[in-house]
Amino acid sequence: MRQATIGNCRIGVWKTLLPLGFLVVVAIAPARGDHWPRFRGPNGTGVSDLQGLPTAWTESDYEWVVELPGSGHSSPVIWDEALFLTTALDDGARTLHRYNALTGKEEWSQMTRLGVPPTHKKSSLASSTPALDGERVYVAFADEHQQLLIAYTFDGDQVWSFDLGPYKSMHGIGVSPIVYGDLVVMSNEQAGESSIVALHRLTGKVAWSHPRPAKEVSYATPIVLELDGRAPQLIVLGEPGGLESLNPLTGESIWQTAAMPQRTVASPVYGGGVVIASSGQGGMGKYLRAVDPTGAGDVTSTHVRFERPEKDTLNYVPTPVVLGEYVYLWCDRGIVCCVELSSGRTIWSERIGGNYSSSPIAVDGKLYGVSEEGEVVVLAAAPEFRELGRSPLGDGSHATPAVANGRLYVRGFGRLVSLRAKSLVEAAGSGN
């Protein structure tokens, strides 16, 4: 690995805002600082306690719509009123944008130009979601020759850039960085030399690097477990290396499982005393493993609590959501199932239609899933199946929604929309 500098240019061009319907944009400060700082929000859970979000709406109900200057599948990330998002053009230009999260107005943008490697038809040159720590934004871009992790201040000034080396993949980069304490962690599992790397967030210097077996690119973004009475664990996932727990401060291995049988795309999740990991191929989930994270060394024969084989309904690209005693698998080809965490037993499985590359999120006990065709489907997160609503995004999407500032933010192929919770709409209407 080597340090690298790149030439970035500040674009600073305001994009056109398209206000829709009768709602007036009012800058109402949230009751508390609202953050959605990484892929799928705090620690990658995809869970928000926001109340009052509609379960069905029309396009005219969006607070604002921003047309994006390029394509991409990365998710928006938010820290208070700062929203960050990446886009890319076919000529290799990748751009990080900062928008005002309350109004949708663009505040600055920074462009990085790399080569144009091959990508999967469902991937893009801007599929990695940035990570935030309240002071800086960290973003990853790659081509065949270099994989760059770049740090910017919230004002758009580049602080450092680090090159993890060549990136070998038929489908492009999709994994996202995370922040843990003073470290920025990047999973670099690919067809070439693979590792998990932690950099000092202030300097971009390597804190530690943990080697992983090389075979297939993994798109699984790590999570951190902080269980009572135990040291923190960084949970990483890949096909040849399986599930592995690392000390997030040193990179030392705590426990690991055998390899996963296919490619890993969905990120691991935790709940009910188990880490859930899945793999698949051909657009379908093929295998799921639930692991008790209290072991040491090779735990394949001692701490795997249950498995779900190919004959069961399984997710592949979408990351599951854990709420209470259940994990909800929102599957690629339009089937959703509720699985009991204590046993792996299917509680219900229902076909809802559509195709899904976006991961679902849970808001106030409701599941929000965005189809590739541009429909937002809302289900009750409960042991009884209930569909609560369907609404148009107005654009196709592969991106996972975000929640902050009393709003749902959804990114389509070419635009970003904001939907306010009812409490904010009512406050705007009353003049409060």
Side-chain angles (χ1 to χ4, degrees), residues 194-198 208-212 236 244-246 250-254:
S194 298
S195 60
I196 311 297
V197 180
W208 55 260
S209 179
H210 177 81
R212 292 275 284 173
V236 300
E244 187 170 13
S245 167
L246 306 178
T250 65
E252 295 175 304
S253 182
I254 300 171

Side-chain angles (χ1 to χ4, degrees), residues 133-136 138 151 159-160 179-184 198-205:
D133 62 11
E135 298 176 347
R136 295 177 180 177
Y138 308 92
V159 181
W160 52 259
V179 177
Y180 178 75
D182 283 331
L183 301 176
V184 183
L199 307 179
H200 292 287
R201 69 178 184 88
L202 297 180
T203 64
K205 303 293 185 181

Side-chain angles (χ1 to χ4, degrees), residues 73-96:
H73 304 327
S74 63
S75 300
V77 288
I78 303 101
W79 197 282
D80 293 331
E81 297 181 13
L83 182 151
F84 299 91
L85 188 72
T86 61
T87 63
L89 300 177
D90 292 342
D91 65 1
R94 284 84 154 168
T95 303
L96 172 67

